[in-house]
Amino acid sequence: MSASAFVHPTAVVADGARLGEGVRIGPFCHVGADVRLGDRVELVSHVSVIGATTIGEGTRVFPFASLGAAPQDWKYKGERTTLEIGANCLLRENFTAHVGTPTGRGFTKIGDGCMLMVGSHVAHDCIVGDRVVMANGSVLAGHCEVGDNVV
């Protein structure tokens, strides 16, 4: 853990999690052992980041987001797959994104500078480009691709 990271006393950060400089982890957050948070990432409160998940610098995650959980796919049996979220994103309340599946790409990727609004979802094996905006309640099923600058 970086010496300059702030972790609220009610947050749980598992041994092995890697926190960049200036990371802020707010109340009641959970960060798993295989998580990497880039410099200046902020988890506002009540955020769960688990699995093999990487979040790029300057990304801000709002309450009740769930990142890196197992995909909603019957074939998934706990294999190591990943979720990568780019830099300078805004992930609003109740946003969810899952790791990939071994029968798909093996990863889910969200680009830089995205704003993913309240209740939106990026499913397993999706690729979301840079500067994408997803409105409240919008969802991507597994294996979707969205290009750069899409709203």
Side-chain angles (χ1 to χ4, degrees), residues 13 35 42 57 69 76-77 83 86 90 106 124 127 134 144:
V13 177
V35 170
E42 180 182 7
E57 65 182 37
Y76 182 76
K77 303 296 182 209
L83 169 63
L90 286 177
H124 62 86
I127 296 176
M134 289 177 59
C144 292

Side-chain angles (χ1 to χ4, degrees), residues 53-144:
T53 299
T54 300
I55 301 178
E57 65 182 37
T59 289
R60 194 163 186 220
V61 186
F62 287 79
F64 305 106
S66 175
L67 308 174
Q72 298 174 112
D73 184 315
W74 287 112
K75 297 180 299 297
Y76 182 76
K77 303 296 182 209
E79 301 89 347
R80 189 184 195 288
T81 57
T82 63
L83 169 63
E84 180 183 337
I85 298 169
N88 301 309
C89 293
L90 286 177
L91 309 179
R92 296 306 307 239
E93 297 82 358
N94 299 301
F95 170 73
T96 56
H98 295 150
V99 296
T101 63
T103 57
R105 291 183 175 95
F107 66 89
T108 302
K109 183 176 179 4
I110 297 169
D112 297 334
C114 294
M115 181 166 56
L116 307 174
M117 295 184 194
V118 174
S120 59
H121 174 68
V122 175
H124 62 86
D125 302 294
C126 287
I127 296 176
V128 175
D130 295 335
R131 298 169 305 281
V132 169
V133 176
M134 289 177 59
N136 296 1
S138 57
V139 297
L140 296 176
H143 310 279
C144 292

